[in-house]
Amino acid sequence: MAEKRDYYEVLGVQKSASDDEIKKAFRKMSKKYHPDLNPGNKEAEEKFKEVNEAYQVLSDSDKKSKYDQFGHAGVDPNFGAGGGYGGAGFDFGDIFGDIFGGFGGGFGGGRRNGPRRGNDIRRVIDISFEEAAFGCTKKMNIQTQEKCEECGGTGAKKGTTVTTCSHCNGTGRVKTQQRTILGYMTTETTCPQCNGEGKIIKEPCRECRGTGAVRRNKTIEVQIPSGIDDNQTIQLSGKGEAGSKGGPNGDLLITVRVRPHDIFQRRGNDVFINMPISFVEAALGANVKVPTIDGGCVELTIPEGTQAGTRFRMKGKGIPYLRSKSRGDQYVTVEIEIPRNLTQKQKELLKDFDEDKNYKQKKNWYDKIKNFMK
């Protein structure tokens, strides 16, 4: 008979490992060697048996103390049913529920008879650029599950009551014990009588057909805050689907889509526009009218000699910040429009003007080329 391996070595932990570390290592090793995940693999089957034997000792403070003091002699597996695995009803439900979530006939699994939160409702709403900037109120039609008024959400016909399931005693779960080649194993499954609800409705409500909720259409008002941006979501708590078994309602989640503007572009809380000005306005300077998101125009001074691509800042003319009185800025980038279809006289005047050596950037450029060609 092969010599037994050290239990700490089997689980891959140090002798000083905490209870949580031992349990975590057991979960990992059990999942790795579980027979259902390794069908026909005898080696994995033996490893699985060895892992469970080690955990049965190291998870018990008394057995662990004896093992630490006397080794395998202190916890002779011959005294345990099935060679230390399973024993007479060792319950793996809590352990395997975390690992498999109901795999292989119902290890663990969530209970269905407790309060359950209602589902969230997700919707999309389209608004204009200005509505996003300054806020607005929108009406929206939604369809939602609400608590049945006829039965008060119990699902039972008015005047009747909901009874506790006698098969599972209201837990929604039943335990069964099976003998396997590795010993006895206790598993927990959904109660077949109440389908995991823990309650039996003998006479269902005719309005909701025993569900405790009915679907209704309703119109709600949605307050869109000023400064909201494209693809941001507004959360209305408790405005979603009705909960069950006394659970809270879900939320209504509204994603905002902002339609693009013909003039303005947004980056964060700042607004940007490109504005054409004439060659003469750029050269001589001018006062020009600039549109803003507030409506109307604001006067902007263009200095003499302004170059194409120059950007001007208009402080406080941008998008309001959410839940704040502060605003971003508006930036105006000027684009100099070159005139077309000039008359002969205009062309001659421009040629005369071009002979003037008043082009600093052009002069610097040609000076660089001369130095390059030397």
Side-chain angles (χ1 to χ4, degrees), residues 48-352:
F48 185 66
K49 181 179 178 180
E50 185 181 41
V51 165
N52 283 289
E53 181 181 317
Y55 181 71
Q56 190 175 10
V57 170
L58 298 185
S59 63
D60 185 301
S61 59
D62 183 54
K63 291 180 181 179
K64 183 175 181 293
S65 176
K66 292 178 180 178
Y67 177 75
D68 289 343
Q69 187 174 4
F70 303 109
H72 290 292
V75 287
D76 188 349
N78 291 324
F79 289 104
Y85 167 76
F90 183 60
D91 190 352
F92 291 98
D94 292 338
I95 302 280
F96 289 123
D98 293 335
I99 300 173
F100 300 103
F103 176 84
F107 285 119
R111 300 184 186 275
R112 301 178 54 190
N113 60 332
R116 292 201 294 271
R117 180 181 180 274
N119 293 327
D120 292 334
I121 299 175
R122 297 180 182 275
R123 293 291 184 272
V124 176
I125 190 170
D126 290 322
I127 61 175
S128 69
F129 191 93
E130 290 84 355
E131 287 174 330
F134 299 110
C136 61
T137 300
K138 291 287 187 179
K139 289 186 177 181
M140 174 178 283
N141 294 320
I142 62 170
Q143 190 178 73
T144 179
Q145 287 272 79
E146 295 187 342
K147 185 170 72 173
C148 177
E149 296 179 359
E150 177 69 18
C151 65
T154 64
K157 182 180 177 181
K158 198 170 185 179
T160 67
T161 58
V162 179
T163 59
T164 301
C165 176
S166 59
H167 190 66
C168 65
N169 294 321
T171 65
R173 310 289 292 177
V174 291
K175 290 185 177 182
T176 57
Q177 191 175 73
Q178 294 175 312
R179 181 181 179 87
T180 70
I181 58 173
L182 303 177
Y184 285 98
M185 181 176 290
T186 300
T187 59
E188 191 178 83
T189 58
T190 300
C191 175
Q193 298 294 328
C194 64
N195 199 29
E197 297 292 341
K199 304 289 183 181
I200 300 290
I201 300 176
K202 294 182 179 180
E203 294 186 69
C205 170
R206 286 180 294 181
E207 182 71 18
C208 65
R209 298 180 181 180
T211 63
V214 291
R215 187 162 291 279
R216 300 190 191 281
N217 291 314
K218 63 180 181 180
T219 301
I220 62 169
E221 282 194 348
V222 181
Q223 296 293 330
I224 308 293
S226 60
I228 197 164
D229 206 349
D230 186 46
N231 268 337
Q232 287 188 322
T233 298
I234 299 170
Q235 179 177 345
L236 300 180
S237 299
K239 297 297 183 180
E241 303 278 11
S244 60
K245 305 290 190 297
N249 289 2
D251 299 332
L252 175 58
L253 305 172
I254 302 173
T255 299
V256 175
R257 299 284 170 80
V258 182
R259 294 190 294 272
H261 200 278
D262 292 336
I263 298 175
F264 304 107
Q265 291 183 335
R266 178 177 178 174
R267 298 177 202 166
N269 287 80
D270 294 328
V271 172
F272 294 78
I273 68 169
N274 293 330
M275 182 173 176
I277 61 173
S278 71
F279 172 78
V280 175
E281 288 173 327
L284 303 181
N287 290 325
V288 297
K289 298 291 186 179
V290 179
T292 69
I293 62 173
D294 296 288
C297 295
V298 174
E299 193 171 85
L300 175 67
T301 299
I302 304 295
E304 178 182 329
T306 293
Q307 302 298 308
T310 300
R311 178 175 289 174
F312 297 93
R313 177 190 179 198
M314 301 173 67
K315 189 174 181 180
K317 293 297 182 181
I319 305 289
Y321 287 90
L322 280 170
R323 291 173 287 277
S324 173
K325 295 182 179 180
S326 300
R327 293 176 61 170
D329 302 323
Q330 177 168 315
Y331 292 90
V332 182
T333 302
V334 295
E335 298 175 343
I336 299 175
E337 184 176 2
I338 306 301
R340 300 180 182 180
N341 303 319
L342 299 174
T343 66
Q344 188 60 37
K345 183 179 179 180
Q346 289 172 329
K347 291 179 181 179
E348 290 174 358
L349 288 172
L350 284 175
K351 287 180 180 179
D352 291 340

Side-chain angles (χ1 to χ4, degrees), residues 6-17 21-22 25 58:
D6 178 73
Y7 287 150
Y8 292 103
E9 179 186 343
V10 170
L11 295 182
V13 297
Q14 298 293 324
K15 193 171 183 179
S16 58
E21 289 172 331
I22 291 172
L58 298 185

